[in-house]
Amino acid sequence: MATPFAIDIEARTIIPVAGGSIVFPVRRIYCIGRNYAAHAREMGGDPSREAPFFFQKATDTLQFCPENETIQHPYPTMTTNYHHEVEMVVALKSGGRDIAEGDALSHVFGYAVGLDMTRRDLQDEAKANRRPWEAGKSSDYSAPVGPLHPVSSVGHPSRGKISVSVDSEPRQSSDLSDMIWSVPEQISILSRYFELKAGDIIFTGTPEGVGPVERGQTMRAYIEGLGAIALAVV
Ligand code: MN
């Protein structure tokens, strides 16, 4: 007989796989910072010199966004400057330590469009006071993600439009090929810091044009080949 749990908690985090009846279970959410040159500059960094850096969001911050549906996205507490960051999300079917760049893509299950939602005022305060980033980056619902597209149907996207609009006004618009560190490089470097495992997902960084959203506005995030997600901020 299985040992009974002391308390009940919510079921684990999942991302439905596009066009099918299977779901992808999420273990950890990793994010890379400053991975597009123009965004690195707008955040005060130097894209030519800085090594990639990573942070995590709590796994249950993931908010699944079905395609062709506008989902309600709660505006978080304790902020007056809540920013969108559109990002491609990579989902791993296996992992390891010290993964070679040449092997990295063999660990990828698929890709999705995502948003690294950020309480920018709290992140800026943390930076200024040399404090951790959780309050800025890991608020509830701060990781919206669309359906997962398996490598078997979309391959490994390395170019194509990535964009987000707010109430139909273009905000961020770039191309996946403008990433500073490629997906294989990100997986390889990240695996030196953490042992990667099946179920881990990686937010691969955002292009320039991040900015605030308010209650009552609708965000639409899009990546060529991976579809679009729409969120009404409430
Ligand atoms: Mn980001």
Side-chain angles (χ1 to χ4, degrees):
M1 196 174 99
T3 306
F5 290 105
I7 56 168
D8 283 329
I9 62 167
E10 286 178 25
R12 67 175 165 182
T13 301
I14 55 161
I15 309 172
V17 175
S21 52
I22 57 172
V23 298
F24 181 92
V26 178
R27 175 178 175 262
R28 289 187 182 173
I29 302 176
Y30 292 103
C31 304
I32 183 172
R34 292 180 183 163
N35 198 30
Y36 289 77
H39 174 63
R41 283 192 290 270
E42 80 180 351
M43 299 306 285
D46 176 353
S48 63
R49 279 191 303 111
E50 285 179 11
F53 68 92
F54 300 93
F55 58 92
Q56 293 183 40
K57 288 177 186 271
T59 301
D60 69 353
T61 61
L62 192 143
Q63 181 181 33
F64 176 64
C65 306
E67 196 135 33
N68 305 317
E69 193 177 313
T70 301
I71 195 167
Q72 293 206 335
H73 180 80
Y75 194 94
T77 59
M78 301 298 289
T79 184
T80 56
N81 195 22
Y82 188 48
H83 278 204
H84 53 74
E85 297 189 359
V86 62
E87 310 200 4
M88 185 167 78
V89 176
V90 179
L92 302 183
K93 64 183 179 187
S94 54
R97 294 189 176 96
D98 297 321
I99 295 170
E101 254 179 66
D103 294 334
L105 292 182
S106 69
H107 296 286
V108 176
F109 173 81
Y111 297 87
V113 55
L115 286 163
D116 167 15
M117 296 303 298
T118 303
R119 291 190 283 204
R120 190 73 71 201
D121 40 4
L122 298 190
Q123 185 197 25
D124 288 345
E125 192 178 300
K127 284 180 182 174
N129 293 293
R130 301 185 176 198
R131 290 178 185 154
W133 279 16
E134 275 78 9
K137 284 294 192 179
S138 194
S139 58
D140 297 334
Y141 308 102
S142 63
V145 175
L148 204 46
H149 296 265
V151 170
S152 56
S153 55
V154 297
H156 296 283
S158 59
R159 57 179 52 79
K161 184 177 164 132
I162 175 169
S163 66
V164 65
S165 61
V166 176
D167 288 346
S168 302
E169 172 201 339
R171 289 282 187 93
Q172 296 181 268
S173 182
S174 186
D175 195 282
L176 296 174
S177 62
D178 289 337
M179 284 187 190
I180 297 170
W181 303 92
S182 68
V183 170
E185 287 172 327
Q186 290 180 54
I187 292 170
S188 177
I189 297 168
L190 182 59
S191 74
R192 298 176 203 160
Y193 290 88
F194 304 97
E195 179 177 3
L196 300 179
K197 293 194 175 180
D200 290 345
I201 67 172
I202 305 167
F203 279 69
T204 58
T206 196
E208 70 279 12
V210 300
V213 287
E214 306 290 348
R215 287 188 181 87
Q217 293 186 314
T218 297
M219 300 182 284
R220 183 176 182 278
Y222 167 81
I223 295 177
E224 193 177 329
L226 304 178
I229 55 174
L231 301 93
V233 182
V234 296

